[in-house]
Amino acid sequence: METKLPHTKNEAFAQLDAMLSEEDRNAIMNGNPFEFHFSPGLWIRNNWIYEQDEEDVKRLAKAFRTEMLFFEADDLSMKIIEYYQRYLKRKGL
């Protein structure tokens, strides 16, 4: 699957939905977001944060209501996982 830096929550969620298995989505929906720091969280950091243009990453952070005055990739990836978990719970798989 080709990865494109998302600019909105919906774009991010669509990519995660396509990338993750149903089993992975269920685990995220029912688990502690911190459990996913080195799985989907690492994928998010490697594909959406590291090696990206700073302005694009700031736009992504803003989509998740995070103002990144000082760049913290771990914080942003965890925020995305937390929002994704809420999205999955509302969606009800």
Side-chain angles (χ1 to χ4, degrees), residues 58-76:
K58 284 182 180 180
R59 186 174 25 239
L60 177 63
K62 193 171 189 169
F64 286 91
R65 303 186 200 303
T66 302
E67 291 297 328
M68 296 185 69
L69 299 176
F70 300 101
F71 186 75
E72 281 296 332
D74 288 342
D75 293 342
L76 179 54

Side-chain angles (χ1 to χ4, degrees), residues 26-37:
N26 276 320
I28 291 170
M29 183 171 70
N30 297 307
N32 180 328
F34 293 102
E35 295 173 37
F36 306 102
H37 179 76

Side-chain angles (χ1 to χ4, degrees), residues 3-89:
T3 303
K4 181 180 153 197
L5 182 68
H7 293 111
T8 67
K9 284 190 274 188
N10 287 338
E11 288 177 6
F13 297 158
Q15 281 193 45
L16 291 171
D17 282 346
M19 182 197 74
L20 297 169
S21 69
E22 184 175 346
E23 182 180 336
D24 290 337
R25 291 190 304 273
N26 276 320
I28 291 170
M29 183 171 70
N30 297 307
N32 180 328
F34 293 102
E35 295 173 37
F36 306 102
H37 179 76
F38 290 110
S39 45
L42 180 61
W43 185 91
I44 289 167
R45 289 187 298 281
N46 286 340
N47 290 278
W48 293 349
I49 301 172
Y50 299 143
E51 307 293 327
Q52 297 292 337
D53 179 72
E54 184 178 347
E55 289 306 311
D56 286 335
V57 174
K58 284 182 180 180
R59 186 174 25 239
L60 177 63
K62 193 171 189 169
F64 286 91
R65 303 186 200 303
T66 302
E67 291 297 328
M68 296 185 69
L69 299 176
F70 300 101
F71 186 75
E72 281 296 332
D74 288 342
D75 293 342
L76 179 54
S77 66
M78 285 295 90
K79 182 65 77 175
I80 292 169
I81 293 291
E82 289 170 5
Y83 272 87
Y84 185 61
Q85 182 182 56
R86 291 180 206 153
Y87 158 81
L88 291 173
K89 287 181 178 183

